[in-house]
Amino acid sequence: MCGIVGYIGYKNAYPIIIKGLKRLEYRGYDSSGIALLNDSTQVYKRKGKVADLEKFVESGDISGTLGMGHTRWATHGEPNDVNAHPHVSMNGIFTIIHNGIIENYSTLKSKLSDRGYTFQSETDTEVLANLIEYIYVKGKVDAELAVRLALTKVIGAYGLVVMCSKEPDKLIAARKSSPLVLGIGDGEYFIASDATPIVEYTDRVIYLNNEDVAIISRDELILKTIRNDKLTPKIQKIDLGISEIEKNGYDHFMLKEIFEQPRSILDTFRGRVSQDKTSIHLGGLFNVEERLINAKRIVIIGCGTSWHAGMVGEYLLEDIARISVEVEYASEFRYRNPLIDKDDIVIAISQSGETADTLAAIQLAKDRGALVLGICNVVGSSISRETHAGVYMHAGPEIGVASTKAFTAQVTVLAMMAAMIGYKKGILEPQRYHALIQELSDIPAKIEKVLLHDKAFKAIAEQYQNATNFLYLGRGYSFPVALEGALKLKEISYIHAEGYPAAEMKHGPIALIDRNMPVVVIATNDKSYEKIVSNIQEVKARNGIVIAIVSEGDKTIKSMADHVLEIPQAMEELTSLLSVIPLQLIAYHIAVLRGCNVDQPRNLAKSVTVE
């Protein structure tokens, strides 16, 4: 879950690395560090944000055209200066940065201690640095072989970059279950956890696969496996502009990404919905359409916001395509010996395409013979390569840790899948099919209308910024949205919040309701409307505060709720794409008013690449 950046070439490495760390800070921000190699190795590291590191480095030697940097999300060892990366081996020969977890580090550490090695930090990464050095010295081998041999001893996940002081014109990068991408320039090379630090310099990249090792000098890149099998690099072009990874005048990335949703949804269905709005074509599923149409059971797996999108997908696929669907937390799915066989279809959802639990669940499903499909946002990501087929979301980079536009893009993909399958099965009548496509096409403009009322959402936030608890209620398609709204508030404002099916309120949560408990109710005009009205009356009877998200023109709830926030009328199947917007903005404004770091909330990281 950490951020890695490296450079070797003809330019001064420090400015490139420090800028790259700032762009990767959303991946981890407990501490950061940088290592530069010229006549000697210079290492600077500090607890805190990259800005703290930058200030610390001001008076240091930052010369050199080879270097690497790291921004950390702590796994082994508390966040402090000593545990920050890079880590240097005991005799100073190797310097290493690492994303992932070395599961057998304790055993390796004990063996190295018996051989006289001492350790300065509590991290598993320093153990790996010393293991590489031990093999290098004891075996009298070169740095490349020392790294490859060390990695054969390692159990766990890694994305790492290694420098050797005795081979000063070389960087070695390796990957297993933790993403690394190499940027190819003219006489220079870049290494990063994702493409965001690279796009300013080149659009040509190589995505490392599991157990790939890259040996990079100033004029050559050699790619092989850890067992020394030579590989032919597959260079791809990335389509990512600088403006997409900058704030562009917004105070926070999260706010920018909320306001980007009309465009990100449009980009998600662009080219997949015919111009005459009569058909849907998902090219990534072309070869598996028959399996989808004849599917008896679909299992959706994901984590966090992706799990909530999967729940909306369950409603969509069962309602529109009449396929039995189960939604599983990927982290639980892989450990509970699930009943999966060759006739099942598993859909894995992940914004980053690198979520460790989801990747492990994918492997389990493949081992059981299931057809595994992916829905992810990052081209070239691990999930897109590990699944049999899938659909990219095309939502654009999501930098804010709290996911917003990824949720609506994921739901958009699931809605297209459900409509396409239902129509081709003959279950979804042409009239309803065409109506769904037209409604989906209208959603971006309707979100624009919701965003125009941002001041009203901010006013709600100002009134309830000091609340200690929130309850979110919804029925049907709105229940997953209630869960997502509660998650957004928890993530960025640190206020405790629960999402609940409205009908279940009387089975426990109603005991919490009093005059200090804001209750957010998603009460749009759908088949559960009368029931949700009754739930609101139950809350008001107990002096609860009701903040209602309603469809335009609603009068019944307006007469009983404390606050009413309107969204445009929409087909029930797609209302979640609209009702989630006010919840995102209320959470955002509350967090800002409370002085929280919206884009980098405490203890969280954007891409969860460790278990």
Side-chain angles (χ1 to χ4, degrees):
M1 293 157 66
C2 309
I4 283 173
V5 61
Y7 175 79
I8 180 170
Y10 58 90
K11 297 173 184 169
N12 191 352
Y14 175 77
I16 294 169
I17 294 168
I18 205 74
K19 183 184 287 186
L21 289 180
K22 289 176 181 177
R23 288 187 176 152
L24 287 173
E25 196 165 20
Y26 69 96
R27 298 182 70 98
Y29 33 89
D30 294 333
S31 58
S32 59
I34 192 167
L36 301 165
L37 183 58
N38 37 54
D39 294 332
S40 61
T41 304
Q42 304 294 326
V43 175
Y44 306 95
K45 50 187 186 175
R46 267 292 178 268
K47 177 185 176 181
K49 303 298 178 68
V50 174
D52 299 312
L53 170 68
E54 196 172 19
K55 186 174 181 180
F56 174 65
V57 173
E58 280 178 357
S59 58
D61 180 2
I62 56 171
S63 61
T65 56
L66 183 154
M68 58 191 188
H70 186 273
T71 181
R72 181 175 187 243
W73 188 90
T75 53
H76 291 84
E78 67 176 271
N80 59 32
D81 293 352
V82 174
N83 288 331
H85 296 216
H87 288 284
V88 182
S89 61
M90 187 179 73
N91 297 303
I93 299 175
F94 287 93
T95 305
I96 182 173
I97 54 178
H98 166 229
N99 180 17
I101 291 179
I102 307 302
E103 295 175 7
N104 61 333
Y105 86 101
S106 181
T107 301
L108 295 171
K109 185 174 184 178
S110 178
K111 290 179 179 179
L112 288 166
S113 296
D114 291 343
R115 288 160 175 77
Y117 273 82
T118 57
F119 300 85
Q120 305 301 314
S121 75
E122 304 167 275
T123 68
D124 54 342
T125 302
E126 188 186 5
V127 174
L128 182 54
N130 281 323
L131 176 62
I132 294 169
E133 182 183 270
Y134 173 76
I135 293 171
Y136 180 84
V137 173
K138 187 76 173 176
K140 297 180 181 179
V141 298
D142 63 11
E144 173 207 324
L145 183 54
V147 170
R148 288 195 291 105
L149 289 173
L151 293 179
T152 65
K153 310 292 184 185
V154 162
I155 299 170
Y158 53 80
L160 57 90
V161 184
V162 180
M163 296 191 323
C164 178
S165 62
K166 295 184 181 295
E167 300 178 33
D169 289 314
K170 184 184 298 179
L171 286 176
I172 300 170
R175 181 255 166 127
K176 182 180 180 182
S177 301
S178 187
L180 274 184
V181 57
L182 309 181
I184 315 299
D186 295 324
E188 58 186 350
Y189 294 94
F190 308 84
I191 307 169
S193 299
D194 62 45
T196 53
I198 291 174
V199 292
E200 185 173 344
Y201 310 103
T202 182
D203 62 356
R204 296 186 300 148
V205 300
I206 298 169
Y207 294 99
L208 294 190
N209 292 311
N210 276 344
E211 299 192 342
D212 281 1
V213 179
I215 303 94
I216 310 166
S217 59
R218 297 177 197 279
D219 56 3
E220 186 181 29
L221 185 152
I222 298 171
L223 197 61
K224 57 178 64 177
T225 70
I226 63 172
R227 291 168 182 81
N228 205 33
D229 299 317
K230 287 284 185 74
L231 300 170
T232 301
K234 181 182 177 182
I235 299 175
Q236 301 182 43
K237 291 199 73 172
I238 51 172
D239 181 19
L240 179 63
I242 292 294
S243 63
E244 294 183 77
I245 57 174
E246 294 179 342
K247 292 179 185 174
N248 295 337
Y250 287 93
D251 291 337
H252 299 93
F253 280 110
M254 182 180 178
L255 186 62
K256 174 182 176 244
E257 288 154 10
I258 291 171
F259 274 79
E260 283 178 340
Q261 285 175 108
R263 192 192 77 188
S264 61
I265 291 173
L266 179 62
D267 287 345
T268 295
F269 69 70
R270 189 196 307 274
R272 293 162 169 169
V273 169
S274 64
Q275 288 190 340
D276 60 3
K277 309 293 193 303
T278 61
S279 64
I280 293 169
H281 176 71
L282 299 174
L285 302 180
F286 178 75
N287 291 328
V288 297
E289 269 190 20
E290 198 67 28
R291 285 283 302 275
L292 281 165
I293 291 166
N294 295 312
K296 297 292 187 291
R297 186 173 80 130
I298 292 175
V299 179
I300 298 176
I301 55 175
C303 299
T305 288
S306 296
W307 185 78
H308 296 156
M311 288 192 66
V312 180
E314 178 182 21
Y315 285 85
L316 287 163
L317 285 161
E318 291 195 342
D319 182 13
I320 297 172
R322 304 308 294 159
I323 301 172
S324 175
V325 179
E326 298 174 19
V327 184
E328 300 264 9
Y329 284 112
S331 54
E332 289 296 312
F333 177 83
R334 61 175 298 205
Y335 285 116
R336 66 169 189 81
N337 195 21
L339 292 171
I340 297 290
D341 62 37
K342 60 182 178 59
D343 295 323
D344 291 326
I345 294 175
V346 173
I347 300 175
I349 307 177
S350 168
Q351 188 282 136
S352 67
E354 302 293 348
T355 309
D357 285 318
T358 307
L359 280 163
I362 286 169
Q363 190 57 56
L364 186 154
K366 287 170 69 176
D367 291 345
R368 302 280 175 91
L371 174 68
V372 184
L373 311 179
I375 297 174
C376 61
N377 194 35
V378 180
V379 176
S381 60
S382 297
I383 285 176
S384 68
R385 286 179 284 164
E386 292 296 326
T387 48
H388 296 114
V391 182
Y392 282 120
M393 289 145 47
H394 300 312
E398 190 177 66
I399 306 298
V401 167
S403 187
T404 51
K405 65 179 181 176
F407 174 80
T408 50
Q410 288 163 350
V411 171
T412 299
V413 170
L414 289 162
M416 288 191 290
M417 286 179 66
M420 182 188 76
I421 296 166
Y423 180 67
K424 292 191 174 185
K425 284 179 72 172
I427 290 172
L428 187 62
E429 296 177 355
Q431 185 178 356
R432 189 181 176 201
Y433 177 56
H434 297 149
L436 276 166
I437 295 173
Q438 183 61 56
E439 183 67 66
L440 186 62
S441 302
D442 293 340
I443 287 293
K446 291 183 178 183
I447 291 178
E448 292 278 12
K449 289 183 68 176
V450 178
L451 293 171
L452 290 174
H453 298 289
D454 185 37
K455 287 184 179 178
F457 309 142
K458 186 176 181 181
I460 297 291
E462 288 170 345
Q463 195 159 345
Y464 298 106
Q465 62 179 295
N466 295 316
T468 54
N469 296 282
F470 268 74
L471 185 63
Y472 289 71
L473 301 177
R475 282 176 176 258
Y477 284 98
S478 295
F479 167 48
V481 178
L483 293 173
E484 176 62 11
L487 177 62
K488 290 285 95 62
L489 190 69
K490 283 183 280 195
E491 284 180 307
I492 62 173
S493 74
Y494 317 139
I495 295 173
H496 173 257
E498 279 192 76
Y500 238 82
E504 290 294 304
M505 178 183 61
K506 62 177 69 69
H507 295 283
I510 199 167
L512 298 170
I513 292 173
D514 59 22
R515 66 183 72 253
N516 299 312
M517 167 76 85
V519 181
V520 180
V521 184
I522 304 156
T524 52
N525 187 17
D526 57 33
K527 59 178 173 282
S528 300
Y529 181 78
E530 296 301 329
K531 297 294 185 182
I532 206 82
V533 168
S534 298
N535 296 137
I536 291 172
Q537 290 170 330
E538 291 166 352
V539 173
K540 293 306 298 178
R542 289 154 181 84
N543 297 315
I545 301 162
V546 173
I547 303 166
I549 311 296
V550 302
S551 301
E552 279 178 341
D554 185 289
K555 294 180 180 178
T556 302
I557 293 175
K558 208 169 200 176
S559 66
M560 61 180 73
D562 297 274
H563 309 276
V564 169
L565 303 170
E566 291 188 341
I567 62 172
Q569 296 276 356
M571 290 180 71
E572 180 177 358
E573 296 90 339
L574 299 178
T575 302
S576 58
L577 294 170
L578 302 176
S579 59
V580 75
I581 308 297
L583 307 187
Q584 293 172 347
L585 283 165
I586 289 170
Y588 168 80
H589 288 302
I590 287 176
V592 171
L593 290 164
R594 289 167 66 91
C596 301
N597 190 331
V598 172
D599 285 335
Q600 298 171 357
R602 69 188 182 203
N603 303 332
L604 297 177
K606 183 66 178 173
S607 182
V608 185
T609 57
V610 297
E611 294 181 46

